Amino acid sequence: MSLKAFACSIVCLFSVFILKAETITGYVFDKATEQPIQGVAVYFDGTSLGTVTNSKGYFSLTTPYKLSSDLIVSYMGYETLLISNPYEAKTFKIYLRETSFGLDEVVLQADPFSREEKLEVFKKQFLGSSYKNQCTIENEDAIVVTYNMKSHKLIAFAKEPLQIKNGYLAYDVSYNLVGFSADYYRNSLSEFQLKSVYFAGTSFFKDVGNNESKYDRRRKNSYLGSSLHLIRTLIRSEDLKQGLKRADFTLYQNRLAVKKPEDYLAIKDTLGGTQLVSTKKKYDILYGRQQSFLEIESDTIYIDRNGNFSPIQGLLFGGYMGTLRFKDMLPLDYELPEKD
């Protein structure tokens, strides 16, 4: 066998391996009564891949390949469970604990802003500045929002998963809001005093677009030039310089275009996972006319082919990418439509 043929055989075998479908099965029970729970949502975080348990508490979930996202087990009135590396178990037996959440458990500090004012700012900074008539939260009463006068920070969390209808991209999303904060330079809700916005949680997307072309176009426009697009370009490019060029990204250092990005950035496989290695802490980024920047806040950043990365606060995006909010968010299993 020639060297060329041998190399081709390796590539073909590897491709078959990574595209192999994987199935996860299990049962979900009440921790106290040990009775099965029907209707429990079981899904991969940030994707549209999920299912619900039947009357016996049983679920079966098949994915086209192994995902690195956590498996989320969620049911109203119970603690949400996150399972890392779910493919390692053949069949799960999961026990959920009931949880109670009362307002007496939440210490709300006095501040000069009404709930309506704080909620409106939360929705604008969480959903996006143009969210109205495009993206709605069906259960706003579940949101607890407060303002810390000492730290100049708007804080929010939810007592139950938020049910969000994104009419712009045609997704119904269940979002478990773990935390939200908007930091201001002084005690204000003015956008001119806003320093930074952070939110985190787990999400499950349901596609309600019915394959309509207008939603395909909107999703494509939301994807191109986004942080998801950039991270995928970095990890999926065999030749980083050519990959960035094909994707229309240009990196800058000290206002000069980076001619050899491989001298600054590299993808490295380790025992802990695939790492993004960088010799610099900040990059300016140009996509078309959209200007963004990337700040690397952690020494160790793990990424996967879907564009997922951890720790979530390890990468900070600003400029155009920093303006994108939930209204523009796509599931991690989204892929650009193939060209005709």
Side-chain angles (χ1 to χ4, degrees), residues 34-277:
E34 298 188 350
Q35 294 298 307
I37 309 175
Q38 182 177 4
V40 177
V42 183
Y43 60 90
F44 279 94
D45 182 25
T47 75
S48 60
L49 302 173
T51 187
V52 295
T53 57
N54 63 16
S55 60
K56 296 181 180 180
Y58 175 79
F59 69 88
S60 177
L61 177 57
T62 299
T63 60
Y65 48 83
K66 283 188 177 181
L67 301 173
S68 61
S69 298
D70 290 336
L71 186 70
I72 309 299
V73 184
S74 177
Y75 189 67
M76 189 75 70
Y78 288 78
E79 295 178 355
T80 298
L81 184 66
L82 284 72
I83 302 174
S84 299
N85 303 317
Y87 296 101
E88 294 182 356
K90 291 184 178 180
T91 300
F92 284 98
K93 278 193 174 181
I94 299 169
Y95 294 86
L96 297 183
R97 298 176 183 272
E98 282 193 76
T99 183
S100 59
F101 201 117
L103 284 177
D104 55 337
E105 301 173 34
V106 183
V107 179
L108 299 179
Q109 298 179 342
D111 62 67
F113 309 111
S114 68
R115 170 175 168 79
E116 289 73 20
E117 290 175 312
K118 291 180 288 190
L119 186 61
E120 179 60 27
V121 171
F122 164 77
K123 289 189 291 184
K124 185 176 181 179
Q125 296 302 332
F126 174 63
L127 298 176
S129 58
S130 60
Y131 78 90
K132 292 185 177 180
N133 302 320
Q134 295 180 329
C135 202
T136 59
I137 300 174
E138 300 292 287
N139 54 338
E140 290 185 359
D141 290 343
I143 302 170
V144 178
V145 59
T146 185
Y147 195 97
N148 189 312
M149 298 291 287
K150 291 183 179 180
S151 60
H152 320 310
K153 184 179 296 186
L154 180 71
I155 301 169
F157 56 94
K159 296 179 286 184
E160 62 188 45
L162 298 180
Q163 304 306 313
I164 303 171
K165 289 189 175 296
N166 188 340
Y168 179 68
L169 296 180
Y171 288 112
D172 287 349
V173 188
S174 178
Y175 190 83
N176 184 24
L177 181 67
V178 175
F180 168 94
S181 66
D183 291 2
Y184 292 84
Y185 289 104
R186 62 184 182 87
N187 286 327
S188 171
L189 290 177
S190 170
E191 195 165 346
F192 297 105
Q193 296 296 327
L194 185 62
K195 184 190 305 182
S196 63
V197 175
Y198 164 80
F199 62 86
T202 62
S203 56
F204 176 63
F205 289 74
K206 181 181 179 182
D207 189 341
V208 292
N210 297 319
N211 296 317
E212 292 187 33
S213 59
K214 68 176 181 179
Y215 296 123
D216 289 338
R217 290 193 299 270
R218 290 177 183 177
R219 292 171 183 179
K220 180 179 179 180
N221 290 336
S222 291
Y223 174 77
L224 294 176
S226 68
S227 59
L228 180 63
H229 186 195
L230 175 65
I231 296 299
R232 285 184 176 180
T233 299
L234 294 178
I235 194 171
R236 294 182 180 184
S237 299
E238 294 183 6
D239 184 314
L240 189 56
K241 181 178 180 179
Q242 292 302 316
L244 289 168
K245 183 178 180 180
R246 283 194 299 269
D248 202 24
F249 282 113
T250 304
L251 304 184
Y252 287 83
Q253 280 287 316
N254 300 320
R255 299 185 179 182
L256 296 176
V258 174
K259 295 183 178 180
K260 294 183 177 181
E262 63 274 13
D263 290 345
Y264 297 87
L265 292 164
I267 303 300
K268 182 180 180 181
D269 289 326
T270 69
L271 292 177
T274 303
Q275 285 188 23
L276 173 65
V277 180

